[in-house]
Amino acid sequence: MSGYEGGEQAGDENRTGAEDGNGHGIEREYRRRNRPPRGWLFLMAFMLANFLLQMGRHFDTLPTWLWACSAVFVLTTLGWATLFMLRGRTLIGADGVAVRGAVFERKRPWHDIYDIRVEPTPRGGGPSARRWLTFLYATDGRRLRLPHLDDWQLDDTHTEVAELLTAAARHRGMTWDRRPAVEARIRRRAGHRKAWERAWTGAIVVLLCMLAVLLGLIVVNGEAPVILLLVGIPSASFVVLAALLNWRWESQVPRSLREPDPPQDVRRG
């Protein structure tokens, strides 16, 4: 099943717009066509229910501001996810690529696009998780994820991207060859991006640990230093982790990007 819309013929019902000299359409729209796997939906529902249960068990002991912040966080997350499901698009045209998210839309002209790559998910995926995601890389090394160009919506993501880039070659005006200077920018940005991600993850783990300590102190002593445990210590841990990991950004680069010439999974003729 394809993930883009348009067209009139049954055999090519999702291809739309102008075609290049090889008959490959360039005007495409990728949106949500398939529901997420039930296992993934069940996991999200379980996590939300467990969160509400744990908060409810300590309703009388938790401060009001913590309840309010938690409610805002949950509602914001659910609202963003709903908007993304309704509005999320990857739009391909002769002038470039447009990515529509939950609220904003970003556009990249073809002359600023260095490559579009299919990459494995960081943790390898599983029966209910995506195994392949698609990213647009600009000439300055910045990365932009293309929504719905993944194995949840497409049967063969690699083939789809290869055909897309073959069709886009004439609009881009140059080949899709790798350039060492741009590859170096991509690796550097990837290392810093992973450093920030791991710093945030570490700070969240510390926050959860401090929340457990807070609840324990409230049960035992009736009071606890809330600001120190839930703000001060997690913030300090984030600053320390971010500084250390960004200093060692080379070690944070994903293994696939450390190779001098990554595997040619989606190289185009």
Side-chain angles (χ1 to χ4, degrees):
M1 180 179 294
S2 178
Y4 51 87
E5 282 293 310
E8 298 178 355
Q9 297 181 2
D12 196 21
E13 61 183 5
N14 297 312
R15 196 177 297 277
T16 176
E19 297 190 351
D20 61 15
N22 296 321
H24 298 295
I26 186 60
E27 301 289 341
R28 308 183 184 191
E29 176 182 290
Y30 298 90
R31 63 176 180 83
R32 184 182 68 84
R33 291 173 54 84
N34 302 322
R35 294 181 179 179
R38 292 182 179 179
W40 184 86
L41 294 175
F42 175 79
L43 177 62
M44 295 298 103
F46 174 80
M47 293 176 61
L48 177 60
N50 183 65
F51 171 79
L52 295 176
L53 175 63
Q54 296 300 324
M55 296 295 289
R57 289 175 58 187
H58 304 282
F59 179 82
D60 295 330
T61 57
L62 293 177
T64 304
W65 68 266
L66 182 59
W67 257 107
C69 291
S70 301
V72 170
F73 173 77
V74 172
L75 292 176
T76 301
T77 301
L78 293 176
W80 179 89
T82 301
L83 282 175
F84 182 80
M85 289 292 184
L86 296 174
R87 298 188 72 253
R89 298 284 193 280
T90 295
L91 305 170
I92 311 293
D95 57 344
V97 178
V99 174
R100 183 185 302 166
V103 179
F104 302 104
E105 181 174 311
R106 289 181 283 181
K107 298 181 179 179
R108 294 288 187 274
W110 286 116
H111 63 80
D112 285 340
I113 297 175
Y114 171 68
D115 202 1
I116 297 178
R117 300 178 183 176
V118 180
E119 299 179 357
T121 54
R123 295 170 182 80
S128 300
R130 282 172 288 223
R131 294 182 175 87
W132 299 101
L133 302 174
T134 303
F135 296 94
L136 179 154
Y137 285 93
T139 53
D140 61 358
R142 294 181 183 274
R143 187 180 78 166
L144 178 63
R145 185 184 158 196
L146 303 184
H148 306 310
L149 259 167
D150 53 51
D151 55 328
W152 272 4
Q153 307 299 330
L154 301 170
D155 293 332
D156 190 341
T157 311
H158 290 82
T159 299
E160 181 66 33
V161 171
E163 292 179 355
L164 169 62
L165 293 183
T166 298
R170 64 188 295 265
H171 301 283
R172 185 169 179 263
M174 64 182 73
T175 63
W176 295 100
D177 296 333
R178 300 286 173 90
R179 286 177 270 168
V182 181
E183 292 293 331
R185 296 188 200 115
I186 290 175
R187 285 193 293 271
R188 185 177 185 87
R189 287 188 179 276
H192 286 293
R193 182 170 56 249
K194 182 58 66 175
W196 287 110
E197 290 176 0
R198 289 176 174 172
W200 277 112
T201 301
I204 291 173
V205 171
V206 172
L207 174 62
L208 294 177
C209 293
M210 292 302 101
L211 179 60
V213 172
L214 172 69
L215 296 176
L217 290 175
I218 291 176
V219 171
V220 174
N221 300 327
E223 59 180 5
V226 178
I227 301 299
L228 174 64
L229 293 177
L230 298 186
V231 179
I233 295 179
S235 298
S237 67
F238 172 76
V239 171
V240 172
L241 286 172
L244 177 62
L245 294 174
N246 276 285
W247 176 55
R248 299 287 299 170
W249 68 266
E250 297 94 338
S251 63
Q252 310 303 314
V253 178
R255 183 175 303 175
S256 60
L257 292 178
R258 296 179 191 176
E259 303 175 12
D261 189 13
Q264 307 295 302
D265 287 337
V266 293
R267 302 322 299 162
R268 282 66 53 188

